[in-house]
């Protein structure tokens, strides 16, 4: 993948930061990263588009079966402007082109779904700069849970090369929430349903209890125990677990994150 242009001075995070479009009624964009500057960022945004573009995203037919997702290519901007902890100007919108499929693969050979589309940034769901160095040894498979309005998504938490980018639609199985000892939570089903519908406006990490590798990833139609080790349920326990049903794999990529790449500059 070559999304981006050389940065001739100025902000080192300036580039064309291509994004995966996730969700439906509540819309998200997930940056498609690489282990090279200026693309070494895992960023998830909640966004809005106008009604016409929203209608196209919900109703169009996918022309590339092996790319059953949409992507967005914004005009060049510094990724640092999306950093919620940054001290510089904050970016509130992006303008760019939406493609059916991957804009740098087969999807890019078809006419765009929408051009000069203005995307409003509602909130930054997750923002992390990635280590561009290669790492060795095992690490734990971890996902970032986010979503609103009853639809949850998992994004694989990317760390350092080699790694992989994956986004899933999932469902929390009612009645399966426990504390970390495996004991049922005192929260009733309605309370937990409301919790999962409203809580994850900011991505929160979960552990699956597997090694971090593509062949160990969560894959539909399996149901896995997800440990929300940094999240308290309504009853206030320190961390909790729940069964998560993987409904759909939205996106999966290994090649772009297989190894560090030479920075553009």
């Amino acid at each position: 993948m070559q999304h981006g242009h050389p940065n001739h001075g100025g902000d080192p995070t300036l580039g064309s930061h291509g994004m995966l479009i996730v969700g439906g009624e509540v819309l998200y964009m997930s940056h498609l990263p690489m282990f090279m500057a200026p693309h070494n960022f895992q960023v998830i945004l909640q966004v809005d588009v106008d009604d016409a573009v929203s209608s196209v995203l919900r109703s169009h037919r996918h022309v590339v079966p092996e790319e059953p997702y949409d992507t967005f290519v914004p005009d060049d901007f510094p990724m640092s402007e999306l950093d919620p902890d940054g001290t510089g100007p904050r970016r509130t919108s992006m303008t760019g082109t939406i493609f059916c499929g991957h804009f740098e693969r087969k999807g890019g050979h078809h006419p765009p779904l929408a051009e000069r589309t203005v995307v409003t940034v509602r909130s930054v769901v997750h923002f992390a700069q990635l280590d561009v160095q290669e790492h060795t040894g095992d690490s734990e498979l971890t996902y970032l849970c986010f979503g609103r309005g009853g639809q949850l998504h998992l994004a694989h938490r990317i760390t350092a090369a080699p790694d992989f980018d994956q986004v899933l639609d999932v469902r929390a199985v009612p009645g399966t929430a426990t504390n970390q000892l495996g004991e049922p939570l005192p929260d009733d089903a309605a309370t937990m349903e409301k919790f999962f519908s409203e809580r994850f406006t900011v991505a929160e990490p979960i552990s699956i209890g597997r090694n971090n590798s593509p062949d160990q990833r969560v894959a539909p139609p399996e149901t896995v125990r997800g440990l929300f080790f940094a999240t308290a349920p309504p009853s206030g326990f320190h961390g909790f677990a729940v069964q998560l049903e993987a409904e759909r794999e939205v996106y999966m990529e290994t090649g772009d994150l297989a190894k560090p790449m030479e920075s553009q500059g």
Side-chain angles (χ1 to χ4, degrees), residues 144-205:
L144 300 164
C145 181
F146 64 99
R148 291 186 60 199
Q151 178 60 70
L152 293 177
H153 312 282
L154 296 184
H156 173 245
R157 185 165 71 176
I158 302 166
T159 54
D163 219 326
F164 63 97
D165 190 5
Q166 182 196 23
V167 178
L168 296 153
D169 293 340
V170 300
R171 180 181 73 96
V173 180
T176 64
T178 68
N179 63 24
Q180 295 196 53
L181 298 176
E183 302 164 340
L185 293 180
D187 308 289
D188 62 29
T191 299
M192 291 305 296
E193 182 180 1
K194 185 173 186 292
F195 174 79
F196 279 110
S197 179
E198 299 177 356
R199 167 78 187 204
F200 296 96
T201 56
V202 174
E204 303 196 35

Side-chain angles (χ1 to χ4, degrees), residues 80 83-88 90:
S80 61
D83 185 351
D85 297 322
T87 58
R90 294 291 298 276

